[in-house]
Every structure is written in C-alpha cells, then in structure tokens.
Amino acid sequence: MLVSKLKVLRSHGKQFIPDLQGVKLPDTFRGRPRITGPIPSELAGELERICPVGAITAEPFSLDTGRCVFCNECAMRAPQHIVFTSDYRLSSADRDALVVRENAPEAIDFRADKVRTCIHRLFGRALKLREVSAGGDNATEMELNASMNVNFDFSRFGIDFVASPRHADGVVLTGPLTENMARALEICYNSIPAPRILILAGSDAVSGGLFADSPALQRDFLDRYPVDLYIPGNPVHPLTFIDGIMTLLGHYRREPWLQAQ
Amino acid sequence: MGMNAHWDKTMNRWLKIDPREGRVSLNELPRLAYAELYDDLNRCLQDENFHVASYFGVTVPEGVLLICLVADDASGGVWLASYLYGEGGERILPSLTAVHPALHVFEREMTENFGICFADSPWNKPLRYAHDRADRRQSMNCYPFYAIEGEALHEVNVGPIHAGIIEPGCFRFICNGEQIVHLEIMLGYQHRGVERLLRETDNRLRQTLLCESVAGDSAVAHGSAYAMLVERLGQRPASEVLELERAIALELERIAVHLADTGALCMDIGYQLGQVACEALRTIVINTTQAWCGNRFGKGLIRPGGSFYPLTDGLRTLVRNNMEEVRRRFAEVTDDLLDSASVLARFEDCGVLTRTQALRIGAVGEAARASDLKRDVRASHPWGPYGALIVHEPVMAAGGDVFSRLKIRLGEVMQSISYVNTLIDRLDEIPEKSPRPDYTFPLAPSALAFSMQEGWRGEIVHVGLTDAGGRLCAYKLKDPSLHNWLGLALAVRGEGISDFPICNKSFNLSYCGHDL
Ligand code: SF4
C-alpha cells in the first residue's frame, strides 16, 4: 500500500509553477490580437462580415476582445494583418480598453486608474470569491477550478473561491447571463457584504459572446451594478484569470511595461 | 427468420437509414398516424437493443411535425418516421412515457415547446423553461416539485447555485433523517436558446461555434457532430485524414475529462494523492490539445470540410510521448486507488443504478455501461475509423454504483490512449493533409440528416433539416445528459445525503447540454 503511494508521489514530482508570470504559453495559444494596419477596406469589410460574433468593426478597423470568441477565422483570412499572440494578459478594469485597434501598443491597457480605491486596501491581502455560472458552458468554470489546482495553485496568494456569498468579497460571473438565472445571480450578489466586487470572466460574460442576440438572456443586472474587472476568453485561461485578479489587486502591474514599448 | 428481418417487418412503416449515410430527402420521410407511431414504438422498445435516439417537434407550414429516430444497437440500423400533430383530429395524445419512461424527456419537451398534451403522462413537468415555451406564464418559481407528507420527513433544497465552481441546477431532496427518500432535479437555468440561434443564422462558422459551446467539456464531440451533419447534407464526406484527426481529438477529450472526474471523485472523499495526481495528468492532456490547436478544450479544432490545425509530425510525437507518460503514471494511480480499502469503502455499493432502471430511463454512455447496459455509439453505430481501424469493444461494469462508474473511467482512459496511438499510426501512413475548412458548400434542399457521436458522457445526436433553398431551417441537439439526469436522481435513493456529492460527480452530467 505504502509502496504504491510512494510510486505515485515519485512520478508526480513537483507540480506547482513557482513563477507564474514567467510562463510562456505555446505559439498556438490565441491571446491578445495584434493588428497590423492599414487593412484595405475591402478586406476589412469581409472580416467584419465573417466574424461570427460581430467583434470586428471595419471603419475604423477594430477588434473587440470582449466579444471575440477567439475562433481565429479573421487571422486565417488576413494573416498579414491579424495575428493572435500568445500574450494571455487580456483583462482590463475598463470595458473600452478591450477593443484593439490597428498598430495598438503591445499590451491591453489595464486602466489601473479605474480601479476603485477600496479594492487594494480591503482585498489586497485576501480575496474570497463566489463564482456564479449563468449559462456558462463549463469550460471557463473548469479553468477557474484549474487555477486553484496543483499546477497554478492560485490560493498561495490568499485568493480563494468560497461556497457561501456570505463569506465572499465578490462575484465572478461566467456565462452570458441567462434569463432563467438572472434572479438567483442578483440574490447571490446582494447577499455579499458591501463593498463587493464584480468580475466578468469569459467573452460570453463580458458581452454575451455567441449568445449576445439570444432572447433567452437577461443582462440588465449588469446595468445596475458596477463591474470591476473584464476578462475575455473562450474559455478564460487560468493564467489570464490569475493575471487579471493580481493586476486588479495591484500586485502585478501592466502599465510600466506598456509605456516601455 | 433472423432478428433483423423480424424488425424490418415490424418497422415496415418506417424508413430504415444506413447510419453511415445519415441523410434522407424530406419527401421520403414516412408520415404515420399517431396510433401507428405509438404502436411501433411501443413494440420495438420492448427489445432492449432499441432506443429512441431523438424525438422532437419542428414547426412546418401545416403545424407541428414530430420526427422520431429509433436506433437499433444490434443491427446498427436507424429508423425514421414522423407524425403531423393533430392530423387525425386528435389534440390529446396517449403518452408513451407511461409505458416507456425513457421517453419522458422528449414528451415533456414537446409539451413545453408546442403545448402538445399527452394523456396519462406520469411526469409531464416543464423540462427546461425554454424561452420559446408555449406557455410563458410557466415560471421557474413555481415548479411543481413532488412532495411527500410525513412527520419524519424533511426537504432539503440545494441550488441553483452550488458550493463549488459548477453550473447551476436545483436539487430538491426529501429525506428521512440522513437518508434520501427522493430526489427531484429541476433544470433550465442554463438555457441560452442554442437551437434557435442555430436556425436563425446562415453563418456556418457561427453554427460551428454554437455547437462547440453546447457543452464546453464536450466541444470536440458536439463540434464533430455538427461538422458531420453538414458534410452529410452537403454530400461532402470528410477525408480519411480529417476523420482520423477528429477521432484523436475526441479520444483526447475523453481521456482529459475522465482524468478530471477521477480526480474529483478522489477529492470528495479526501483522498488527496489521487486527486492531485489526476489533476496533473489532466493538465498534460489538455495542454497537448492546446499545443495542437491553441485551446485546452479543443475549441477551434473541429470545422466542417477541413481543419486549420493539421496534426504535424512534431505534434504526433508530442501526443505519443504524452500519452505514454499519462499511461504509465495513471497505471500507478489506479494501482494505489484499487489498493486503498478506505477509498473503495466509500465508492462500492454507493449510488446504485440497476440495469433495469438504466434501461427504463434510457441511460446512455458511460453511466449505462457501468450498469451493464451496453450503449456505445462507437460500437453500435460506428463512423469514420470506428468499426474499421478501431473495432471498439466497450468497457463494461456490472455494479451500477459509484465504483462501477469509476472503473469505466479507469478502463476507458487506457483504452482511449491505445486508440490514439492506433489512429496516429494510421495517420503516418497517409501522405495527404486535410483541406482547409469550408463553410460555403451547398446543402441538399428539403433534406434531413443526422449524426451520432460517442462523447465521453455518451450518445450525442444532432438532427438538421434544410428548406427548399438548402438552408438549415431546423436543428435538434441531444446531449447524453438529457437521459442520464434521471439516473442520478434514482441512484441516490436510500443513500445518506452526505454521499450525494460523490454520486453526482460519478455521473458528472452537463447542465448546459441539457438546458441548451
Ligand atoms: S477570432 Fe474573434 S474577431 Fe476574429 S473572427 Fe473569430 S470571433 Fe471574430
């Protein structure tokens, strides 16, 4: 018995990633798009038409990563103009900053100036989150679970998911926010002691994504409560999530690097 | 007279389709009277090899057409028939659920979506509170939960939001002390209107993505079902390379989720070694898929007509090496797990779904196989490399308990690893590459096609209809969860409520796949 356990342990080895910021994702990973302009207007129009979620605007050309489901189709049609880089740092405190334009700086602007001042002070050392899935397809949900697993071990920073909203400091919403889940989400959110934060994880949470046009959604909750963090992805990669939260809390900084470019 | 001939005779009013063809012209679709449909279904479902693969309503100019697909696991045949609701003047139909409970999901959906009344249905409750339901006054807030009176009984409500990071659904337990007497599961919170969005768009890329998102943990399986369906409608069969690559992706998806589920079961009983070892192994597998197509869930990989991500020589080596690593380490985990009496004590004889129950509720996939019911599309209705390069013999278990469902996973991880290797070996022999995706080939007008896949949960069935202009005008999806949720509800009866989490994990059903 003991021998079999030792064998598992030996093969298991050390799994956790000591330096999460040092990880490079493979080139195939579709992270922040880089758009090299100018894109001829005919091509731009075609890209706008083929995008299955309306993330592309032709004039002036832009790609909204808050809508994008990272299908890669536009980059395959216009490889000399659009490349999805493996930069997984996709989140921002500002919805507008998710829109990438031609020849934009080599980073999504986090807009740390938009972060409510109480967030660093109250949650900087410990943050407990309640996840609510409202039409999520279980991919982002599994990635949020994975961010706590043996590899990413996010709870090493004092950040955890908890079972009860009463124990939580905020909600992480996944999914496009279905009509049938709207009431439960609001009850949950209001059960969290104020001040509370709201995080949208995944392109479907940020914009409705593929389901944005569906009458089965009811997203007015998002008009009534402030959103602190937008995290694009389909699904959100654990590193994207970890980077987003850590930047929100002021532990990671994106701006100096942005200015260096 | 052989069995096949016998059934050909019994089902002579139906159209028998070769499942490898999977397409018929709509004017060949037999139209039966309801009494005929009822009799034929009632009769064939008495043979346990038969099950209803799909049964649904579509709006046509004359009203609501009910279309039924029956699959025969013994012969590999699929029979098709339809009935125009109210054609014989009837408004209230005799319910088949009363005789064959497996049909409850289909009849409930017809009632919910079209207001079709079934007489004597024992369980005609709302299925998912679809946005387009016939009666918008039906509200989730007044779901008619089953209740039992009794001084010793109490009710426990769990959900829709659960303790962990999982999808929402409402579980209402009736307990006698700690013991579960009855569980009713109410779903619908995840309803996004997928089928409506599918028929409202002509953008086939968008349709592909919608199918990839039916259940994110089954992106490859649902994506492949979609691709196969439009390829059938367009008479554009996938090349061998493409089929091999899709099968590799499907088996990788199965391995990854089975590893995750094994880890989750270990976690729920506090067996941390098994949990962390499985988490690490799952990471290897999904990172392999990510190296291949840029997405850990395989989103982006499956496209109609072709692929943007050929499995290059370098990737083949990576997949082979990683499979070998997982095989070696998972064998050690399995040894330790099976050698730990305290682990087995929690899993054995817990949450039993008997074979009879599994059969009656129409269980499919791994849950059915764990209850000694052989339902596996890879064996019964094989496609692509299945039935040819891979002659699939399903992994089976007889106990119907949590342990049996775990054993299916342990066995299938190893089996799928060997399949992946076989598929890559064959790929090595073919010089061609798969073509690029094609979203524009014309589809046959006024036709019906279906596709079946064995995802890691079980049988996935997609059915699509085109109009006279060759436009996809109706799309019906079926995730295996649709059938198996009732299996979970039955399996927990008599168990302590504290064992519910491991029973639930042992099924690991999809909420969004059910709610659509
Ligand atoms: S990758 Fe994003 S922007 Fe490009 S086509 Fe797909 S969804 Fe649209």
Side-chain angles (χ1 to χ4, degrees):
Chain A
M1 270 194 71
L2 188 60
V3 177
S4 61
K5 292 194 193 308
L6 289 173
K7 274 191 188 166
V8 174
L9 267 178
R10 187 188 56 196
S11 294
H12 184 67
K14 197 186 80 173
Q15 288 292 332
F16 92 103
I17 304 164
D19 175 19
L20 289 171
Q21 286 183 281
V23 178
K24 292 255 173 302
L25 290 179
D27 291 342
T28 45
F29 180 78
R30 294 182 287 284
R32 175 180 52 79
R34 178 190 293 136
I35 306 172
T36 315
I39 302 184
S41 66
E42 203 172 306
L43 179 61
E46 187 200 327
L47 295 174
E48 183 180 280
R49 265 194 314 282
I50 60 156
C51 176
V53 289
I56 290 177
T57 307
E59 274 309 321
F61 194 86
S62 69
L63 191 164
D64 181 359
T65 60
R67 281 176 166 254
C68 175
V69 290
F70 300 88
C71 71
N72 211 24
E73 196 69 28
C74 54
M76 289 294 179
R77 301 277 180 111
Q80 59 294 31
H81 294 288
I82 303 180
V83 175
F84 282 86
T85 70
S86 61
D87 175 12
Y88 59 79
R89 295 166 177 86
L90 293 169
S91 60
S92 178
D94 179 23
R95 175 69 182 84
D96 293 335
L98 301 182
V99 179
V100 176
R101 300 196 165 75
E102 286 179 1
N103 310 320
E106 289 287 319
I108 299 284
D109 189 351
F110 188 80
R111 294 298 305 272
D113 57 306
K114 286 248 176 185
V115 177
R116 286 187 282 156
T117 47
C118 65
I119 288 182
H120 290 191
R121 185 167 48 86
L122 290 174
F123 308 128
R125 291 160 63 103
L127 177 65
K128 306 292 163 192
L129 296 166
R130 174 62 254 194
E131 195 272 345
V132 178
S133 171
D137 74 0
N138 202 26
T140 293
E141 289 79 355
M142 286 180 88
E143 291 296 49
L144 296 182
N145 274 315
S147 65
M148 301 293 163
N149 74 9
V150 285
N151 306 104
F152 299 105
D153 187 25
F154 193 21
S155 54
R156 71 179 98 167
F157 300 111
I159 293 149
D160 257 318
F161 285 101
V162 292
S164 167
R166 298 281 191 218
H167 303 158
D169 305 310
V171 160
V172 179
L173 172 68
T174 56
L177 222 179
T178 55
E179 178 184 34
N180 288 351
M181 197 53 197
R183 181 164 167 257
L185 168 66
E186 190 150 357
I187 293 172
C188 176
Y189 178 82
N190 284 317
S191 307
I192 294 174
R196 51 196 163 225
I197 64 175
L198 179 58
I199 296 165
L200 306 183
S203 297
D204 45 0
V206 172
S207 65
L210 273 171
F211 305 96
D213 301 333
S214 173
L217 303 190
Q218 187 183 316
R219 289 173 60 82
D220 58 339
F221 170 84
L222 296 172
D223 303 331
R224 278 179 277 121
Y225 300 98
V227 176
D228 294 289
L229 182 62
Y230 300 88
I231 315 179
N234 176 32
V236 172
H237 194 282
L239 288 172
T240 308
F241 179 69
I242 292 169
D243 169 78
I245 302 283
M246 293 297 274
T247 315
L248 178 73
L249 298 181
H251 301 311
Y252 293 176
R253 290 191 188 281
R254 216 178 291 160
E255 276 77 359
W257 183 56
L258 180 71
Q259 263 118 49
Q261 293 295 315
Chain B
M1 187 166 74
M3 266 325 252
N4 285 348
H6 164 71
W7 283 118
D8 286 349
K9 192 155 167 253
T10 307
M11 301 293 281
N12 64 0
R13 289 187 276 236
W14 296 55
L15 181 66
K16 191 175 184 183
I17 319 171
D18 175 359
R20 286 204 179 245
E21 183 89 25
R23 185 193 63 252
V24 293
S25 159
L26 278 179
N27 51 34
E28 289 174 74
L29 182 67
R31 229 183 237 193
L32 311 187
Y34 186 74
E36 295 171 328
L37 183 84
Y38 182 101
D39 282 348
D40 291 346
L41 277 177
N42 187 17
R43 204 138 10 105
C44 74
L45 292 176
Q46 275 154 25
D47 181 331
E48 66 173 52
N49 287 312
F50 278 75
H51 69 280
V52 176
S54 197
Y55 183 24
F56 58 96
V58 288
T59 311
V60 293
E62 311 100 288
V64 180
L65 188 68
L66 305 187
I67 298 174
C68 187
L69 262 85
V70 177
D72 172 14
D73 288 355
S75 74
V78 171
W79 276 273
L80 192 63
S82 70
Y83 154 68
L84 184 69
Y85 176 53
E87 199 173 34
E90 62 278 296
R91 296 321 297 176
I92 299 175
L93 308 176
S95 166
L96 269 159
T97 303
V99 206
H100 299 288
L103 296 184
H104 76 108
V105 280
F106 301 120
E107 291 190 346
R108 288 166 64 189
E109 186 183 73
M110 290 169 197
T111 303
E112 180 162 276
N113 290 0
F114 301 105
I116 295 174
C117 299
F118 289 95
D120 307 322
S121 169
W123 204 254
N124 206 358
K125 301 190 182 193
L127 186 66
R128 60 169 79 91
Y129 294 91
H131 178 82
D132 295 333
R133 57 190 179 271
D135 182 1
R136 283 283 296 170
R137 288 166 310 178
Q138 294 258 15
S139 153
M140 293 194 99
N141 301 332
C142 33
Y143 180 85
F145 279 108
Y146 184 72
I148 313 177
E149 302 277 314
E151 232 170 69
L153 302 178
H154 67 281
E155 288 189 358
V156 179
N157 183 76
V158 177
I161 302 173
H162 301 283
I165 308 176
I166 56 167
E167 301 172 63
C170 190
F171 299 145
R172 183 74 59 94
F173 298 91
I174 299 174
C175 294
N176 180 4
E178 303 275 294
Q179 195 182 38
I180 301 167
V181 177
H182 176 83
L183 163 63
E184 185 161 358
I185 302 170
M186 169 193 159
L187 299 171
Y189 298 94
Q190 295 284 74
H191 174 68
R192 299 159 289 173
V194 177
E195 291 171 334
R196 174 176 173 157
L197 294 178
L198 275 165
R199 67 173 182 264
E200 281 182 350
T201 181
D202 285 325
N203 181 333
R204 252 180 251 167
L205 169 62
R206 182 169 158 77
Q207 291 172 342
T208 313
L209 297 172
L210 284 164
C211 288
E212 276 185 337
S213 302
V214 168
D217 52 33
S218 304
V220 172
H222 276 289
S224 300
Y226 170 80
M228 185 194 248
L229 185 120
V230 289
E231 285 159 5
R232 285 174 166 185
L233 281 170
Q235 288 169 272
R236 281 278 299 263
S239 68
E240 187 184 355
V241 175
L242 194 56
E243 286 192 321
L244 289 167
E245 289 181 347
R246 286 179 187 167
I248 292 168
L250 185 70
E251 297 303 336
L252 286 174
E253 183 170 84
R254 189 183 325 278
I255 296 165
V257 185
H258 281 354
L259 288 169
D261 285 348
T262 306
L265 278 167
C266 294
M267 176 180 76
D268 272 6
I269 58 162
Y271 169 47
Q272 213 191 6
L273 184 65
Q275 176 202 339
V276 296
C278 289
E279 281 176 0
L281 293 177
R282 170 181 178 256
T283 304
I284 296 176
V285 180
I286 59 180
N287 282 354
T288 308
T289 303
Q290 176 177 255
W292 181 4
C293 70
N295 190 293
R296 307 215 297 173
F297 293 76
K299 289 185 175 183
L301 185 56
I302 310 296
R303 293 289 178 264
S307 163
F308 284 128
Y309 301 100
L311 196 67
T312 59
D313 288 344
L315 285 166
R316 289 176 202 182
T317 309
L318 179 79
V319 177
R320 279 202 181 96
N321 291 345
N322 287 350
M323 286 300 106
E324 180 49 30
E325 177 76 6
V326 172
R327 195 200 53 71
R328 184 182 66 76
R329 281 161 61 178
F330 194 59
E332 294 174 350
V333 176
T334 304
D335 282 348
D336 186 53
L337 195 156
L338 297 177
D339 201 28
S340 303
S342 55
V343 170
L344 302 186
R346 289 294 307 278
F347 292 155
E348 280 178 336
D349 293 324
C350 179
V352 174
L353 181 70
T354 66
R355 187 174 195 281
T356 312
Q357 287 173 325
L359 193 60
R360 289 197 33 98
I361 65 157
V364 292
E366 59 160 356
R369 299 197 283 279
S371 294
D372 196 28
L373 179 62
K374 202 183 266 188
R375 292 259 192 264
D376 192 323
V377 179
R378 289 174 294 174
S380 62
H381 298 80
W383 72 97
Y386 301 101
L389 180 64
I390 290 172
V391 180
H392 176 60
E393 188 46 55
V395 176
M396 299 291 293
D401 52 358
V402 172
F403 187 50
S404 297
R405 287 184 286 278
L406 176 64
K407 277 194 295 187
I408 298 286
R409 292 181 168 97
L410 300 178
E412 288 190 347
V413 167
M414 295 307 191
Q415 186 184 48
S416 293
I417 289 174
S418 78
Y419 287 171
V420 168
N421 287 323
T422 308
L423 292 160
I424 297 182
D425 287 347
R426 174 71 191 125
L427 211 47
D428 283 342
E429 295 168 8
I430 312 174
E432 301 90 73
K433 278 214 192 96
S434 46
R436 308 227 330 159
D438 185 346
Y439 307 103
T440 53
F441 54 81
L443 307 184
S446 304
L448 176 152
F450 67 88
S451 56
M452 297 169 83
Q453 294 272 317
E454 186 72 16
W456 64 267
R457 276 195 188 91
E459 176 185 289
I460 285 169
V461 181
H462 289 204
V463 187
L465 277 73
T466 53
D467 62 17
R471 192 186 164 275
L472 210 51
C473 60
Y475 205 94
K476 185 69 216 154
L477 290 156
K478 192 192 80 177
D479 187 84
S481 308
L482 186 73
H483 301 289
N484 288 0
W485 275 112
L486 184 55
L488 169 63
L490 295 176
V492 299
R493 284 189 185 171
E495 294 303 340
I497 193 166
S498 55
D499 272 342
F500 176 70
I502 56 172
C503 293
N504 189 20
K505 292 255 168 67
S506 74
F507 282 89
N508 189 11
L509 301 173
S510 174
Y511 300 77
C512 52
H514 175 282
D515 294 347
L516 300 175

